[in-house]
Amino acid sequence: QLQLVESGGGLVQPGGSLRLSCAAFGFSLDYYSIGWFRQAPGKKRLGVSCISDTGDTTNYADSAKGRFTVSRDNAKNMVYLQMNSLKPEDTGVYYCAAFQGWLGTNWDAASEYDYWGQGTQVTVSS
């Protein structure tokens, strides 16, 4: 059974950091680009970052640039999202998603991804 599982969410104060993890089960991530998406209550799912299958190419939403870093360890079948200088507007459920190949400029199109995790809640609040 193909499955993505996110972890690492939680409650953090503004200015704090979190590291999200995305683990794959039942398949290898070697040939998949991985996107990270955030969904706030009542809002659409938005692309936060994406990393290519080899890790050579990354993309970030403007809101994430300079604060978030996406990385991967294909040997461990894992992808990570390091989030620093967190703001209240970063609050939401974070999902990782897999696409076989590279979407290029469409990296933030949620409908293009093949597999999704169940999400992990991130709350930034004092």
Side-chain angles (χ1 to χ4, degrees):
Q1 182 178 358
L2 306 180
Q3 193 176 11
L4 293 172
V5 179
E6 302 93 338
S7 61
L11 173 64
V12 63
Q13 293 186 341
S17 297
L18 283 175
R19 188 194 194 204
L20 305 185
S21 298
C22 174
F25 299 93
F27 71 111
S28 170
L29 289 179
D30 284 4
Y31 302 106
Y32 286 84
S33 300
I34 301 298
W36 284 97
F37 290 78
R38 177 178 67 241
Q39 188 164 24
K43 296 190 176 181
K44 63 183 292 187
R45 198 169 292 189
L46 298 177
V48 174
S49 182
C50 183
I51 186 167
S52 63
D53 54 356
T54 60
D56 291 344
T57 305
T58 57
N59 281 322
Y60 296 92
D62 287 344
S63 61
K65 288 178 181 175
R67 300 188 299 126
F68 294 4
T69 303
V70 62
S71 62
R72 65 191 298 156
D73 185 341
N74 284 356
K76 295 182 178 179
N77 225 22
M78 297 283 293
V79 177
Y80 308 97
L81 184 67
Q82 178 68 42
M83 304 189 296
N84 300 328
S85 303
L86 283 162
K87 306 174 181 179
E89 51 264 43
D90 295 320
T91 294
V93 178
Y94 282 72
Y95 300 88
C96 64
F99 174 81
Q100 192 167 13
W102 177 244
L103 286 166
T105 56
N106 283 337
W107 69 270
D108 57 348
S111 60
E112 297 288 345
Y113 287 79
D114 301 311
Y115 305 109
W116 288 84
Q118 83 292 345
T120 185
Q121 176 70 45
V122 171
T123 303
V124 184
S125 175
S126 55

